[in-house]
Amino acid sequence: MTARNPVRLSNAEAVAAAVFAQPGSGARFDWGLTGAAELGRVCAALVVVDVLSFTTAVDVAVGRGMRVHPFPWGEQAAEYARRVGAVAAVGRRQVSEERPWSLSPAALSRAPVVSDLVLPSPNGSAISAAASASGLPVVAGCLRNARAIGRWLREQGYGTSDAPVGVIAAGERWPDGSLRPAVEDQLGAACVLDAISGVPGGLSVEAAMALAALASTPDVPAAVRGCASGRELIEGGFAQDVAVAVQVGVSTVVPVLRHGVFTAA
């Protein structure tokens, strides 16, 4: 997320950079790490949405009073946790009585509360960690807290053409590392966009098209349960995680990432 530094661009590159920033709108939308980097250049705040399961897990943990440190997926998370005096979450299948903290929202709702939790993931956490380098406030959005985030963004004055907000659907990864757009993240992003759809700066075309997915989805929880990512978790034995993630509008928590840590706004 270093694109804010001045760089020398050709005329064609400058035109492309301006267009892909979705100029003139108060609320903008894009996908994944690259989309977050692009909107991070021009927006005043970012909302990262990774419904299954990073941002849902952040909502649960922060709602219970924990400070959450996002970190890219990998073995280095444990070493980072030791350096900052935090507990490192483990993979869903590595949960034990001694290590009950994981990316599972259901497990986090039962685990003992710790003051600081390092929560790695390959998508939402990696995007959030990278986005924090831009110095922007980064908000963890999901189906549970989209309405609360919308209220908070409005109260803070975001959503104008001078202080636009970028909503980022994290998506998943194919085995070759390429982005796999994910239904659950588009719907989660759409719920955030719906909560701010009346902002003075209006929606970009990309944001409006993302929001249109919500209008054509009469039962959002059913859609998330039935999509590829939802079925993967359910069939893998983690139906409770999906059940927590599809609780639309139940949370008033607005987790904001500042100085590398998610805390409640």
Side-chain angles (χ1 to χ4, degrees), residues 88-193:
V90 298
R92 277 186 175 90
R93 298 189 184 280
Q94 281 72 54
V95 167
S96 65
E97 186 174 342
E98 295 76 22
R99 307 290 293 181
W101 306 276
S102 80
L103 194 59
S104 160
L108 283 180
S109 69
R110 301 186 296 266
V113 172
V114 294
S115 59
D116 287 83
L117 178 69
V118 173
L119 189 62
S121 88
N123 300 304
S125 191
I127 293 168
S128 299
S132 69
S134 69
L136 300 179
V138 178
V139 184
C142 60
L143 294 173
R144 295 166 54 90
N145 67 359
R147 295 172 191 164
I149 287 173
R151 288 193 296 271
W152 183 82
L153 290 170
R154 289 171 178 273
E155 290 167 359
Q156 298 300 309
Y158 297 120
T160 67
S161 56
D162 292 330
V165 57
V167 180
I168 306 297
E172 298 290 344
R173 294 283 175 183
W174 289 110
D176 66 0
S178 61
L179 175 70
R180 175 173 70 81
V183 167
E184 69 278 9
D185 294 342
Q186 182 168 358
L187 289 173
C191 285
V192 174
L193 290 165

Side-chain angles (χ1 to χ4, degrees), residues 231-254:
R231 291 174 60 188
E232 179 185 25
L233 282 177
I234 291 169
E235 294 173 14
F238 297 100
Q240 285 188 329
D241 285 345
V242 180
V244 173
V246 300
Q247 293 175 321
V248 178
V250 300
S251 173
T252 60
V253 176
V254 180

